[in-house]
Amino acid sequence: MSDRIFGIFGLLLAIGFAFAAFTIEESFLSDAVGPKAFPLIVATILGLSSLVIALRPDAEPDWPALRRLVEVVSAVVVMALYAKLLPVAGFVIATALAATYLSWRLGSPLVGAIATGFGTSIGIYVVFHLVLGLSLARGPLGF
């Protein structure tokens, strides 16, 4: 029963996402595909996946223990805080903190999680900002 609820929720979310994508205004300078293509592809994949989950649910899914559910909720909270912290702290610092926490919760020792968090943050910064020239949120240190 919970799979059907999850599938229906995902399907409704996909429909809402598709409607939101259709409200995107196209500029005369846009490319041939346009800005609506990617959101519509995501909505289609989400809708089809949710439909499969709703129509072919598991017999009775095994729910994780309360401790695991708390960890999942804490990861969601960290990602929400990451979104709030990004414009304030900047991409490098916010990403390093979020990646460190998530690496640690996935089982890395603390020192390894810190190295992974900062390595991930700096690596993404180098590729996306320095190599590809994309704009990332600047922090108080200027990067």
Side-chain angles (χ1 to χ4, degrees):
M1 182 65 174
S2 60
D3 281 359
R4 290 189 194 276
I5 294 170
F6 180 70
I8 291 169
F9 177 76
L11 189 59
L12 293 173
L13 186 64
I15 291 168
F17 199 67
F19 277 124
F22 282 119
T23 64
I24 296 173
E25 293 184 25
E26 295 188 33
S27 169
F28 68 93
L29 295 175
S30 66
D31 57 6
V33 176
K36 296 178 185 179
F38 183 72
L40 288 174
I41 291 170
V42 171
T44 302
I45 293 170
L46 175 62
L48 291 174
S49 302
S50 298
L51 195 59
V52 169
I53 291 171
L55 296 177
R56 299 186 61 191
D58 287 341
E60 192 56 42
D62 293 327
W63 285 90
L66 181 61
R67 181 172 179 254
R68 291 288 179 198
L69 286 175
V70 168
E71 287 191 22
V72 170
V73 169
S74 69
V76 171
V77 168
V78 165
M79 295 310 294
L81 290 174
Y82 172 70
K84 290 288 190 188
L85 187 63
L86 197 56
V88 177
F91 178 82
V92 174
I93 294 170
T95 302
L97 293 174
T100 297
Y101 175 79
L102 295 173
S103 298
W104 175 61
R105 292 315 311 144
L106 286 172
S108 295
L110 187 57
V111 173
I114 292 169
T116 299
F118 280 91
T120 300
S121 175
I122 292 169
I124 293 172
Y125 180 81
V126 167
V127 170
F128 284 94
H129 184 69
L130 299 179
V131 174
L132 297 175
L134 298 176
S135 170
L136 299 174
R138 290 183 178 254
L141 302 177
F143 55 86

